[in-house]
Amino acid sequence: MKKTNDGFLYVYQADQSYTYAKMLKYDFNCNLVWEKYDVIQALTVDSSGNIYTLGTSGYYMNYTNKLKKYSANGTLIWEKQFTGEIGRLAKNIFVHQNDVIVTGVFSYTLDFFNQVSLTNNSGLTQPYPRGFLAKFDTNGNFYNAIQLGQNMEFFKDSEMDNDGNIYISKVHANFEYSKIEKFDHNLQLILSKEISNNTGVYWAYCPTNLHYNKINNKMYVYGTFAISTKVDNTTFSTGNSSNGVQQSIITEFDTSNLNLLRYLKFYNNSFLQIPHESNNNTRTLNNAYFAETNDYLYTFGSFSQTMTLGNTTITSSNTGNNIYGEDLVFFKINLSNFEAQYLFKSEGSQFSIYQSLNAANEIFINNDNVYLSANFRNKPIILNGTPINNNSGNGNEDVLLYKYNTTNPSSTLSSNSPVCINSTLQLNASGGIVYNWTGPNGFTSNQQNPTIHNATANNAGIYTCQVSGGACSGTFTVNVVVGDNIAPIPNIVTLADITGDCHTAITSFPTAADNCAGTVTATTTDPLSYSIPGNYIIHWTYNDGNGNTATQNQNIIVVSPAVPTTTNTQQTFCATNNPKISDIQITGQNIKWYDATGNVLSAATALINGQIYYASQTINGCESNKTAIQVIVNTTPKPTANVNQDFCASANPTIEKIVVTGTSLKFYNAAGNVIPITTPLVNGQTYFVTQTLNNCESEKQAITVTLSTDNVPAKDITLVQCNTTTSNSMVVNLHSYEASIINNPGNYIFTYTDTAGNVISNPSAYVLNTGTTLIHVRVATPDGCFKVVRLNFTLNPKPIVQLPDTLDFCEGKSVVLDAGPGFKSYEWNTGATTQTITVTTPGTYTVKVTNIFGCENTGSTQVSYSVLAHIVSVNITNNTATVILSQSGNYEFSLNNFTWQDSNIFTNLNMGEYTVYVRTKSGCIIGQKSFSIFNIPNAISPNGDGINDTWRIAGLENYPGTEVSLYDRRGVTIYREIIKNRPFQWDGKYESHPISTGNYWYTIKVSDGRIYNGWLLIKNR
């Protein structure tokens, strides 16, 4: 059932298949406006009166889900279909601005237009139904969908707040825990909170129904449990060890953090639905539905057996059956104190095993009227004295709509009930002409407004009046209560807090007004005097003596004096000052000190490093809370030093020469006086030194000094050595001679200077020239004693051997090896001791020479036969001849075997025949080769006169394979010859006949690659 702008919508399933339903539109007077059959299992209405519905049709694995939008008059605007089964238990549609949010459960898969596909993530063949959220806009465009829950979580209900946030309630299938989760309008999770679990109890609280109060921005939850449960760490119990009895709690939560604010123990003793519900059951039992005003939260639910709402105890119609007796109950919750006020319950005229199964459905408020809907089985059911017939005729389920006026709920009968004992009971009726009253204790009357004086408890009960002769004819009832059943009302709604010090005493008690007992003074079992600071609550009870009580709480705030103050809660002291409690800096009166265990400490108590001490002050006999101060007691170690130190008397050492490791050192004499570091040291005297760390000075370290004389036993050193190279200098490490100057050189400091007094800056790489060099060495102790000695170097030269690295000679000849003159001795590896030796065989020859200083050096040469090349060719280019050898080497070249040159190229040669000669530098003959620079005649006269009768080209015989060709002017070959090893000449005949006089052309292809082209004049006349 959903409220619209001009009425309300009601949907019920047309049959048990759930494949279609009937949606009916009523005005606020319950007149039918229109009806429509469709597949509808959830609906909502937006602020413009548009209707959104969701329904599922089809069969297993072939379900079609239809989201539709209708206008206010029931005209279809659009329809969107997506596939997959949506479970039929819990579905909601919410509209906020342009968003349409759909919630529900599905078993296997959901597919939203091939854009988002959801697959049940429980991982089971028959999975637990899984919740989902889907977002559309008001034009039916799909945006997104998400799956809700994991493992064995059941989706229970959903709700939306004023900002468009969505709330989801879930419970574990085995009731191990339950949750409420909050999502924004983009389906993003904002907050998830476990509101209940079964730790130490039997079942978690199952949040079946969510209701958002749009007026106060609070979330109200109807939930059920068995045996006992905890909700946000508050424990509840059914008082029954059987899980066959379920009771419920109505809880109020803060929507910002989902913290529990208030609760109502709605102990309705129901057996139905939870946890025996089915996720396909749309006709839910044991639920409560809400509608709010500014002051009240109206609630419609069901109960069995007996329950108490506020000051009223009610009993169900079926008290003999603990399982199936379910009556409807309607009450309101005062939102100022969250207390319930009973309004009415249903009555059943008949009973069978199932005929008291009555289930509350949704409600809403319009103006002063609350509209209720329900399923019922009673034949008929009576609501607030109004019988409603069951049209099924056999007690099967039927539905009802009921309109309740909150300002005048019984317009036909009324009374001044409840009334006190011995007061006057006034009965009132209206709407008719004839009135016949009957009631308890044999009461009858035909007056319209009869009275009963001095009423007793026997006059309490149901009074019936048969009204006739008017528009409201019928039989009506009114329930009358005689006796005091109204609790006293405190005269002050909220008791003021009482604030005091350690002498606080309560002497004034609050009062309440009671309708029968008058003024009632509160009593309490809590203490009425307080001396210890803290917050206390006095629980006042107002008892009117008639079994009615009211309670009220009052806060007692006992404050302590201000704590003593300190500028530093961590204070540092020096162990050498022997600090005490009295040294701690603190401001206050009558300071009292405590250790961590609460023991009182005296002012003389020695401070312990790292300890925390607690101080209070006492003002007017009231002690304050404690201030904690941690102390650091620094123990500074003595500086470190050799306790006996030796110094050179000649260095006139002072205090600053004493070697001490420490920080902020301070020196004292034996009398305890501080002495400056410029104080001269005295032989045999003991001095004292301290260091200061963290502003704490250490104890004194004693150091005895000794002043010594002539304690550097260094000596002069004279060294003669040969140069390790043949240069005029050598690099030496002067430090390498320190062990020869003095024993244990590591205990001394060495300074090297030349004869001019210049300090040698790099003694480890000193350049020593040949000859004599004098170096002064200052050998000093760390305490300043020193002695200067001489380091006298003589560097003799190393002889230079002048042998070449390699030397070759012609096989069959000899060569002379010369080591050079001027040496004191020679020693060859051949055994010779002369300056030179003559060798005739290849090999390595080595000589060691010694000069007059006794310095030695060696030299060697590799002697080998000369490697001889051969003449490959002589290349002719114009008048230049180049000799080509088979390999490079040290050779000489000649054209006459007399004049030799190093170059293999001869230039400016005349035409003619030549012979080139080649030898090595050592005189080994390589060979000789003839070559020609041709003189080619260009005219002959082969006339037999013996003058120029033949064409002769001298030197062609030196180039066998040369090809000579002669052509006439038409290019016809008239002569061709390949040159062999004989001189070339041609008689001017072709095929033994003289050729004609004329010019002919020739081509000569020399075998060395040269080509000559030209003409030849032949004159036969």
Side-chain angles (χ1 to χ4, degrees):
M1 185 168 67
K2 298 295 181 183
K3 179 183 176 183
T4 68
N5 297 332
D6 54 355
F8 62 94
L9 295 168
Y10 190 84
V11 172
Y12 68 90
Q13 300 300 321
D15 61 16
Q16 297 296 315
S17 67
Y18 306 107
T19 57
Y20 69 98
K22 179 183 285 190
M23 177 168 61
L24 304 100
K25 171 73 176 290
Y26 294 90
D27 63 19
F28 288 121
N29 292 319
C30 299
N31 297 313
L32 180 64
V33 179
W34 52 259
E35 63 182 4
K36 181 180 293 291
Y37 282 93
D38 201 346
V39 179
I40 299 174
Q41 293 161 351
L43 82 161
T44 193
V45 180
D46 66 16
S47 59
S48 299
N50 296 307
I51 305 164
Y52 299 82
T53 67
L54 178 64
T56 298
S57 64
Y59 299 93
Y60 180 74
M61 303 305 289
N62 289 290
Y63 291 99
T64 299
N65 305 298
K66 299 177 181 180
L67 179 65
K68 299 181 181 182
K69 180 178 180 179
Y70 295 90
S71 66
N73 60 11
T75 302
L76 181 65
I77 299 175
W78 51 254
E79 175 181 324
K80 302 295 179 179
Q81 296 185 8
F82 55 97
T83 60
E85 179 198 4
I86 296 180
R88 299 186 176 106
L89 172 65
K91 291 191 298 294
N92 295 99
I93 307 173
F94 304 105
V95 180
H96 180 263
Q97 297 177 355
N98 195 42
D99 294 333
V100 178
I101 306 296
V102 178
T103 72
V105 295
F106 68 101
S107 295
Y108 294 94
T109 61
L110 283 180
D111 182 79
F112 293 90
F113 317 104
N114 294 322
Q115 298 180 46
V116 175
S117 294
L118 303 179
T119 300
N120 191 302
N121 61 10
S122 67
L124 301 175
T125 303
Q126 293 183 334
Y128 291 99
R130 186 64 75 228
F132 74 91
L133 283 175
K135 178 180 177 180
F136 299 79
D137 65 15
T138 53
N139 293 319
N141 298 310
F142 173 72
Y143 282 89
N144 192 17
I146 62 172
Q147 185 169 171
L148 301 171
Q150 58 187 355
N151 301 326
M152 297 173 65
E153 289 182 346
F154 277 153
F155 172 90
K156 299 310 299 176
D157 198 12
S158 55
E159 183 63 294
M160 177 179 281
D161 64 18
N162 290 332
D163 296 323
N165 299 310
I166 306 104
Y167 300 80
I168 301 297
S169 64
K170 300 187 296 185
V171 67
H172 188 273
N174 293 332
F175 297 90
E176 294 179 3
Y177 62 83
S178 61
K179 293 180 180 178
I180 297 180
E181 294 182 335
K182 180 179 181 180
F183 296 81
D184 66 15
H185 71 100
N186 289 319
L187 311 188
Q188 299 297 312
L189 180 65
I190 301 173
L191 177 63
S192 177
K193 182 171 182 179
E194 181 179 284
I195 62 168
S196 179
N197 60 60
N198 66 353
T199 304
V201 296
Y202 193 79
W203 275 340
Y205 176 64
C206 180
T208 305
N209 206 32
L210 300 182
H211 176 78
Y212 174 72
N213 187 331
K214 294 179 173 58
I215 298 174
N216 65 5
N217 192 33
K218 298 293 190 299
M219 183 66 69
Y220 294 91
V221 180
Y222 171 84
T224 305
F225 71 100
I227 301 180
S228 61
T229 192
K230 283 185 177 180
V231 181
D232 212 2
N233 291 320
T234 299
T235 301
F236 301 89
S237 174
T238 65
N240 192 317
S241 61
S242 170
N243 60 11
V245 174
Q246 282 82 48
Q247 293 183 349
S248 302
I249 312 164
I250 296 174
T251 50
E252 178 187 67
F253 285 87
D254 188 326
T255 56
S256 63
N257 52 26
L258 297 179
N259 287 341
L260 178 65
L261 300 177
R262 297 183 293 185
Y263 56 84
L264 176 67
K265 297 178 181 179
F266 181 52
Y267 283 0
N268 55 351
N269 297 300
S270 175
F271 183 80
L272 298 175
Q273 191 202 10
I274 305 297
H276 302 287
E277 66 172 298
S278 165
N279 276 314
N280 289 322
N281 179 14
T282 59
R283 297 161 299 169
T284 57
L285 299 173
N286 188 16
N287 231 336
Y289 295 90
F290 305 97
E292 66 272 1
T293 63
N294 287 321
D295 302 319
Y296 292 98
L297 185 69
Y298 285 88
T299 306
F300 191 37
S302 62
F303 77 104
S304 67
Q305 302 184 66
T306 300
M307 67 176 294
T308 299
L309 287 170
N311 296 317
T312 305
T313 299
I314 58 177
T315 303
S316 67
S317 301
N318 177 16
T319 58
N321 192 308
N322 295 335
I323 297 178
Y324 297 107
E326 293 282 337
D327 278 340
L328 302 175
V329 60
F330 184 52
F331 59 98
K332 62 182 179 180
I333 301 173
N334 189 326
L335 292 177
S336 65
N337 56 19
F338 217 64
E339 293 181 356
Q341 180 180 343
Y342 168 73
L343 297 175
F344 63 80
K345 74 176 188 68
S346 68
E347 302 287 345
S349 60
Q350 294 187 34
F351 167 74
S352 69
I353 191 169
Y354 295 110
Q355 279 182 337
S356 194
L357 293 180
N358 302 309
N361 280 334
E362 292 181 328
I363 68 174
F364 71 87
I365 292 177
N366 183 59
N367 296 327
D368 294 328
N369 298 310
V370 182
Y371 292 77
L372 310 176
S373 65
N375 292 1
F376 72 102
R377 286 175 177 264
N378 292 94
K379 300 190 302 180
I381 191 171
I382 300 173
L383 288 185
N384 198 29
T386 301
I388 302 175
N389 291 321
N390 187 303
N391 295 328
S392 69
N394 56 9
N396 288 334
E397 286 171 301
D398 208 344
V399 297
L400 64 85
L401 299 175
Y402 183 79
K403 179 179 177 182
Y404 174 81
N405 187 277
T406 60
T407 59
N408 187 18
S410 178
S411 59
T412 302
L413 300 186
S414 65
S415 73
N416 63 341
S417 170
V419 296
C420 301
I421 299 293
N422 298 323
S423 297
T424 298
L425 172 62
Q426 178 68 56
L427 300 174
N428 301 299
S430 63
I433 298 175
V434 177
Y435 303 90
N436 292 307
W437 288 89
T438 61
N441 203 29
F443 174 78
T444 61
S445 175
N446 56 11
Q447 297 180 14
Q448 179 179 357
N449 301 312
T451 59
I452 299 174
H453 299 283
N454 300 315
T456 68
N458 293 329
N459 299 118
I462 301 296
Y463 286 80
T464 302
C465 183
Q466 189 174 33
V467 180
S468 59
C472 294
S473 297
T475 300
F476 304 95
T477 61
V478 63
N479 186 39
V480 169
V481 176
V482 178
D484 191 357
N485 64 353
I486 299 176
I489 299 174
N491 291 323
I492 300 175
V493 176
T494 301
L495 295 176
D497 295 345
I498 296 176
T499 301
D501 58 15
C502 65
H503 307 296
T504 300
I506 309 303
T507 58
S508 177
F509 295 176
T511 59
D514 185 75
N515 64 319
C516 294
T519 299
V520 177
T521 301
T523 62
T524 184
T525 58
D526 295 323
L528 296 176
S529 63
Y530 302 88
S531 60
I532 300 175
N535 295 331
Y536 305 91
I537 298 177
I538 295 181
H539 302 82
W540 297 108
T541 299
Y542 304 97
N543 192 328
D544 63 3
N546 295 317
N548 303 304
T549 61
T551 60
Q552 198 173 27
N553 295 340
Q554 187 170 23
N555 295 322
I556 308 300
I557 303 170
V558 179
V559 297
S560 64
V563 297
T565 60
T566 179
T567 58
N568 192 352
T569 58
Q570 187 180 74
Q571 299 185 21
T572 302
F573 302 89
C574 299
T576 53
N577 295 333
N578 298 316
K580 304 178 295 298
I581 286 284
S582 58
D583 295 321
I584 299 176
Q585 301 299 308
I586 196 166
T587 301
Q589 303 178 32
N590 304 311
I591 298 297
K592 187 182 293 185
W593 289 97
Y594 299 86
D595 61 15
T597 60
N599 298 315
V600 178
L601 304 175
S602 70
T605 301
L607 297 181
I608 299 174
N609 180 48
Q611 192 75 276
I612 297 177
Y613 298 90
Y614 302 86
S616 69
Q617 69 172 336
T618 299
I619 300 175
N620 297 327
C622 293
E623 187 177 4
S624 71
N625 291 328
K626 301 179 181 70
T627 294
I629 298 177
Q630 184 181 38
V631 302
I632 304 298
V633 180
N634 290 323
T635 301
T636 303
K638 296 178 182 179
T640 57
N642 291 332
V643 297
N644 295 295
Q645 298 190 23
D646 194 359
F647 301 90
C648 181
S650 61
N652 299 316
T654 60
I655 286 292
E656 65 180 343
K657 296 298 181 180
I658 298 176
V659 179
V660 183
T661 301
T663 302
S664 301
L665 299 176
K666 188 183 293 184
F667 289 89
Y668 296 85
N669 58 19
N673 300 317
V674 177
I675 54 178
I677 59 175
T678 57
T679 302
L681 297 179
V682 177
N683 183 47
Q685 190 77 280
T686 298
Y687 299 90
F688 302 89
V689 61
T690 66
Q691 70 169 334
T692 299
L693 296 173
N694 299 317
N695 296 318
C696 291
E697 188 176 8
S698 70
E699 295 182 0
K700 296 174 182 175
Q701 173 66 58
I703 301 173
T704 302
V705 302
T706 301
L707 302 185
S708 303
T709 59
D710 192 21
N711 56 350
V712 184
K715 60 181 181 293
D716 295 337
I717 297 296
T718 299
L719 296 170
V720 178
Q721 60 190 82
C722 293
N723 199 340
T724 56
T725 69
T726 57
S727 66
N728 294 324
S729 62
M730 181 177 70
V731 177
V732 296
N733 183 358
L734 299 180
H735 296 304
S736 63
Y737 305 103
E738 292 172 353
S740 300
I741 295 174
I742 195 169
N743 293 331
N744 300 318
N747 297 331
Y748 299 90
I749 302 169
F750 293 83
T751 305
Y752 299 87
T753 57
D754 58 22
T755 54
N758 299 314
V759 176
I760 297 172
S761 61
N762 190 12
S764 60
Y766 180 70
V767 179
L768 190 65
N769 296 319
T770 54
T772 300
T773 301
L774 179 62
I775 296 174
H776 297 284
V777 184
R778 184 179 187 272
V779 185
T781 63
D783 58 3
C785 296
F786 68 90
K787 183 177 182 180
V788 178
V789 297
R790 296 188 301 173
L791 186 58
N792 195 351
F793 283 106
T794 298
L795 181 64
N796 293 321
K798 183 177 184 178
I800 300 174
V801 181
Q802 298 177 350
L803 288 177
D805 292 335
T806 61
L807 189 64
D808 57 356
F809 68 103
C810 299
E811 188 175 1
K813 295 187 178 184
S814 62
V815 65
V816 176
L817 302 180
D818 188 350
F823 298 119
K824 180 179 178 181
S825 64
Y826 303 84
E827 183 179 343
W828 294 87
N829 61 343
T830 62
T833 59
T834 58
Q835 176 182 335
T836 62
I837 61 173
T838 301
V839 298
T840 59
T841 58
T844 299
Y845 294 88
T846 303
V847 64
K848 181 173 73 174
V849 299
T850 305
N851 61 17
I852 60 175
F853 303 106
C855 298
E856 299 177 347
N857 197 6
T858 60
S860 63
T861 184
Q862 180 68 39
V863 179
S864 60
Y865 287 136
S866 298
V867 177
L868 302 181
H870 65 271
I871 302 172
V872 174
S873 64
V874 179
N875 295 337
I876 308 300
T877 304
N878 296 324
N879 292 79
T880 298
T882 302
V883 181
I884 305 302
L885 300 180
S886 60
Q887 64 185 49
S888 61
N890 198 9
Y891 301 107
E892 295 178 321
F893 304 86
S894 176
L895 293 178
N896 56 14
N897 205 18
F898 179 75
T899 302
W900 298 88
Q901 66 181 40
D902 293 336
S903 174
N904 64 330
I905 301 173
F906 296 93
T907 62
N908 299 318
L909 297 178
N910 296 322
M911 293 183 182
E913 299 181 51
Y914 297 89
T915 300
V916 63
Y917 302 90
V918 183
R919 69 181 185 185
T920 66
K921 288 287 187 178
S922 57
C924 301
I925 299 301
I926 295 298
Q928 63 187 52
K929 186 175 182 65
S930 297
F931 67 92
S932 300
I933 297 179
F934 302 117
N935 180 17
I936 304 174
N938 59 5
I940 62 173
S941 56
N943 53 13
D945 62 0
I947 301 174
N948 198 23
D949 286 333
T950 61
W951 188 33
R952 301 184 60 190
I953 302 175
L956 276 182
E957 67 274 14
N958 294 324
Y959 300 94
T962 297
E963 180 180 329
V964 181
S965 300
L966 193 65
Y967 309 92
D968 62 14
R969 67 181 60 188
R970 291 173 299 176
V972 176
T973 302
I974 61 172
Y975 174 75
R976 183 175 182 275
E977 181 176 350
I978 303 300
I979 304 300
K980 297 181 180 178
N981 292 327
R982 59 186 177 83
F984 168 75
Q985 66 178 3
W986 177 54
D987 59 4
K989 294 180 179 180
Y990 176 64
E991 294 182 353
S992 300
H993 297 284
I995 64 174
S996 302
T997 297
N999 288 326
Y1000 297 86
W1001 283 262
Y1002 63 81
T1003 297
I1004 302 172
K1005 296 180 180 179
V1006 185
S1007 58
D1008 66 358
R1010 285 178 287 172
I1011 298 176
Y1012 295 91
N1013 294 297
W1015 56 270
L1016 175 65
L1017 174 62
I1018 300 177
K1019 295 177 63 177
N1020 284 321
R1021 295 190 298 269

